[in-house]
Amino acid sequence: MPAGTKDDPWVLKTPPGSSEYTMYRDEAANPPALVCQVGSTKLTYQLRAVEDLHAWLREQGDWVPLGAADENKPAADGTVEAWGRSEDNPVGGWYGLRKGYRGRFGMYLPPLLEVLGLAELTHDARNNRMRAVTE
């Protein structure tokens, strides 16, 4: 498995399998970040999102819709995307760090949790869902 560093990033596919992208940890960033490179677009999310999302999924106890949406579009209630921007999450709002590029949390974080063995994910053309893997 890749180390998840800039030199050895995770190579991931969106839940429908239609696009490939990379992610890596940047622990030197303030705050520590996940860097997501999608083509020429760079998205950054707080690194703690991985553990926080896994904990939230465990609390949900069942499948949760992903609901990926751009930052300018509303996220459907009860989705991973909505939680990733909610004032009720552990960071009190957006996990995305770069204004204008904070959305799509529900598209790019779930495949990483799947690769790390923290979640199961459906891979349909649309309306994908995820749930926590519990030992």
Side-chain angles (χ1 to χ4, degrees):
M1 180 184 330
T5 62
K6 186 173 186 176
D7 295 330
D8 189 19
W10 294 291
V11 177
L12 305 165
K13 285 195 174 194
T14 56
S18 55
S19 298
E20 191 173 271
Y21 61 100
T22 61
M23 287 187 104
Y24 63 89
R25 292 183 308 273
D26 181 356
E27 295 182 32
N30 186 17
L34 275 173
V35 179
C36 178
Q37 190 71 46
V38 184
S40 62
T41 302
K42 182 187 287 188
L43 306 166
T44 53
Y45 301 99
Q46 292 189 43
L47 181 57
R48 67 174 289 172
V50 173
E51 290 179 19
D52 290 353
L53 178 55
H54 183 241
W56 180 74
L57 289 168
R58 289 180 69 146
E59 288 172 14
Q60 303 316 296
D62 203 357
W63 292 98
V64 177
L66 302 185
D70 288 332
E71 180 176 349
N72 321 3
K73 296 181 180 174
D77 289 339
T79 63
V80 170
E81 183 73 35
W83 178 85
R85 345 172 146 192
S86 172
E87 292 179 4
D88 297 329
N89 70 32
V91 298
W94 295 89
Y95 278 92
L97 295 171
R98 188 172 164 216
K99 189 157 178 58
Y101 295 90
R102 297 183 298 187
R104 309 297 280 174
F105 184 88
M107 177 68 71
Y108 298 120
L109 266 288
L112 177 59
L113 269 70
E114 182 178 47
V115 164
L116 295 174
L118 300 173
E120 290 180 82
L121 191 57
T122 62
H123 295 281
D124 299 317
R126 317 172 53 107
N127 302 320
N128 285 295
R129 303 172 299 147
M130 71 184 305
R131 67 179 173 188
V133 170
T134 54
E135 281 74 32

